Amino acid sequence: MHAEPGDHASPLLVIVDAANVVGSVPDGWWRDRRGATERLRDRLAAGGLPGRPGPREIVLVVEGAARGVESVPGVRVESAPGSGDDHIVDLAARAAGRARLVVTADRELRRRVTEHGAEVTGPRAVLG
């Protein structure tokens, strides 16, 4: 089978707004942002994205105190050089031609990535 640009030959690219997803649950994350981000990363590595079977590439975008969280098998962690939102938009734009899903509840970020053709879903998609 020959793969054409834009078909589903590439796995779904899932871009997760770590700060937004971690901040959506009032579980004391503010006392240890890095630890909360590592728990999110590990949850994504273990369970992927419930309800979205099949191959996927998961990118967890971190900023601020969470910078330096390491990648693990199944989840690539990218430390945003500046704004996490700007980095997420850049990732979505650079991956044009493949299926992209951005996980965030940030309305402005959702608007920006959909302008680049990405789908969006909220934090519950990864938190259950």
Side-chain angles (χ1 to χ4, degrees), residues 29 31-39 65-70:
W29 59 263
R31 290 188 296 271
D32 182 10
R33 291 173 196 253
R34 185 182 176 120
T37 302
E38 288 171 340
R39 288 189 297 278
R67 279 192 183 97
V69 168
E70 299 289 327

Side-chain angles (χ1 to χ4, degrees), residues 53-102:
R56 62 193 148 288
E57 176 186 355
I58 300 175
V59 179
L60 183 64
V61 175
V62 300
E63 60 186 329
R67 279 192 183 97
V69 168
E70 299 289 327
S71 295
V72 296
V75 179
R76 183 173 86 237
V77 179
E78 290 200 12
S79 293
S83 155
D85 289 2
D86 290 347
H87 192 66
I88 290 166
V89 171
D90 184 54
L91 286 171
R94 284 188 290 152
R98 71 183 279 198
R100 292 148 294 153
L101 178 67
V102 175

Side-chain angles (χ1 to χ4, degrees), residues 90-114:
D90 184 54
L91 286 171
R94 284 188 290 152
R98 71 183 279 198
R100 292 148 294 153
L101 178 67
V102 175
V103 182
T104 186
D106 180 315
R107 276 196 275 190
E108 175 62 13
L109 178 57
R110 289 169 82 107
R111 184 194 63 74
R112 291 174 66 195
V113 298
T114 56

